[in-house]
Amino acid sequence: MGNSVSEIETQLKSLEETQRAILNILEDAEDEKNLLGNTQRAVMNILEDYSIEKASVEKMNIKLTSSNKEIEQFAYIASHDLQEPLRTISNYTGLFQKRFKGKLGEEADKHLDFIAGATLRMQSLIRDLLDYSRIEVEKNKTPINCDLLVADILSDMTLLITESKAEISATHLPVISGYLTGLKSLFQNLITNAIKFRKKNAYPVLTITAQTKTKEWVFAIKDNGIGIDKLFYNKLFIIFQRLHNKDEYSGTGIGLAQCKKIVDLHGGRIWVESELDKGSTFYFTIPK
């Protein structure tokens, strides 16, 4: 009888433990359910916030794209419309110089030279601004053999290369996918700059190379020119920014801005490494 009571007590105790275990499991399940509900609500809030942010970003991108197009259109129209009156000024200044040079005194001759020079610089600026405003993504990227592309550019630049006695080496450049017109302008601008900003006591020496990376090609155009102070790195690729007096080096301050725009259109990056009087190396990447 004693054993039966003991067994019953043991069973009751076991039953109580089982009940507590079941209650604990139910409580844990309720906690999990609440946690899951909270997680679901948090995820829904995140998705809702993401949708709002995405819509906001898309709206801003549409506005930015529209604004950029309007700016480019304005630059094109303004530049195009400015050309005709400038041609008139240039023509009449030339005629005036031809007829009266040396007859109105030294000071008058200086004024005429100044007008003629300013007109030529303005015409050059307008041409560069037009080129900048016309840089657009071509319809389709095409395979481009950069060895052949650079060879064609150097052939077109024969006069400048001969006059400056520049030495240029460019070998084993890759075939890439890109926009032909833009890439030609990119290489031409960088090569022209490397020759232009040469030291007075040395002939320009340029090397054009390319390295393959996992997802991109890294091109480098290295020169032995006058170099660039690190303080001015952030100004280089901004339109109309000039680091030198126009009397020292010609130019409009648009060339490197064009280069950056072209590299951006390809989804790449462009930067420079340089030291004063120790030459410069311009790098840019083109995604594979």
Side-chain angles (χ1 to χ4, degrees):
M1 183 72 177
N3 289 338
S4 297
V5 171
S6 177
E7 287 176 358
I8 291 171
E9 288 177 346
T10 301
Q11 289 176 357
L12 287 172
K13 187 176 181 180
S14 176
L15 182 60
E16 288 175 356
E17 289 176 352
T18 301
Q19 287 175 331
R20 281 196 295 271
I22 291 171
L23 287 172
N24 288 335
I25 290 171
L26 290 174
E27 287 177 4
D28 290 344
E30 186 66 24
D31 291 341
E32 290 291 335
K33 182 179 177 181
N34 291 334
L35 180 61
L36 180 60
N38 291 335
T39 303
Q40 288 176 330
R41 282 192 292 274
V43 170
M44 291 299 293
N45 289 335
I46 291 171
L47 290 174
E48 186 177 352
D49 291 343
Y50 171 76
S51 297
I52 293 171
E53 288 294 328
K54 184 180 178 184
S56 176
V57 169
E58 288 176 350
K59 192 173 181 180
M60 288 177 65
N61 282 337
I62 291 171
K63 286 184 177 179
L64 185 60
T65 301
S66 176
S67 177
N68 286 338
K69 286 183 178 178
E70 287 176 2
I71 291 171
E72 289 175 3
Q73 187 177 15
F74 170 78
Y76 177 81
I77 293 171
S79 300
H80 187 271
D81 290 348
L82 281 171
Q83 285 189 99
E84 190 56 39
L86 265 177
R87 273 195 294 267
T88 302
I89 294 171
S90 180
N91 290 338
Y92 275 97
T93 302
L95 290 171
F96 200 90
Q97 280 184 308
K98 187 175 181 180
R99 184 170 180 180
F100 296 105
K101 191 173 180 67
K103 298 179 180 179
L104 301 176
E106 186 176 344
E107 188 175 356
D109 289 344
K110 286 182 179 179
H111 290 331
L112 285 170
D113 289 340
F114 179 81
I115 293 170
T119 304
L120 289 173
R121 286 193 298 273
M122 190 64 180
Q123 287 176 325
S124 179
L125 178 62
I126 287 173
R127 281 195 301 270
D128 288 350
L129 187 58
L130 273 170
D131 290 340
Y132 183 82
S133 68
R134 286 168 175 163
I135 296 173
E136 296 176 356
V137 178
E138 297 169 34
K139 289 184 179 180
N140 295 301
K141 289 183 178 180
T142 58
I144 298 169
N145 186 320
C146 291
D147 271 330
L148 297 178
L149 176 63
V150 172
D152 287 342
I153 292 170
L154 296 182
S155 177
D156 292 340
M157 297 174 64
T158 298
L159 182 61
L160 175 61
I161 293 170
T162 302
E163 289 178 345
S164 63
K165 298 183 179 179
E167 295 179 13
I168 304 174
S169 61
T171 55
H172 307 301
L173 300 179
V175 175
I176 63 174
S177 177
Y179 306 114
L180 179 60
T181 304
L183 286 173
K184 184 173 183 179
S185 178
L186 172 63
F187 276 106
Q188 189 166 321
N189 268 311
L190 292 176
I191 294 170
T192 301
N193 272 3
I195 295 174
K196 182 199 299 184
F197 296 105
R198 58 186 181 271
K199 296 176 185 176
K200 292 181 179 179
N201 58 348
Y203 299 130
V205 178
L206 284 68
T207 57
I208 305 171
T209 58
Q211 286 185 320
T212 179
K213 301 292 183 182
T214 305
K215 295 183 179 180
E216 62 188 8
W217 288 99
V218 181
F219 290 84
I221 298 180
K222 183 178 182 180
D223 64 57
N224 64 334
I226 60 175
I228 302 164
D229 193 314
K230 291 182 180 179
L231 293 172
F232 301 117
Y233 282 8
N234 62 336
K235 293 179 63 176
L236 279 176
F237 302 102
I238 301 175
I239 192 168
F240 298 133
Q241 292 293 325
R242 292 177 51 89
L243 303 187
H244 305 280
N245 189 290
K246 64 180 181 291
D247 295 328
E248 293 179 290
Y249 297 97
S250 62
T252 57
I254 297 179
L256 288 177
Q258 285 181 327
C259 291
K260 185 178 186 309
K261 188 173 181 181
I262 292 164
V263 172
D264 286 346
L265 289 173
H266 282 82
R269 299 167 291 121
I270 186 169
W271 70 97
V272 66
E273 292 179 5
S274 180
E275 286 186 51
L276 276 177
D277 217 34
K278 293 186 178 180
S280 304
T281 304
F282 279 86
Y283 297 92
F284 65 89
T285 64
I286 301 294
K288 290 184 177 178

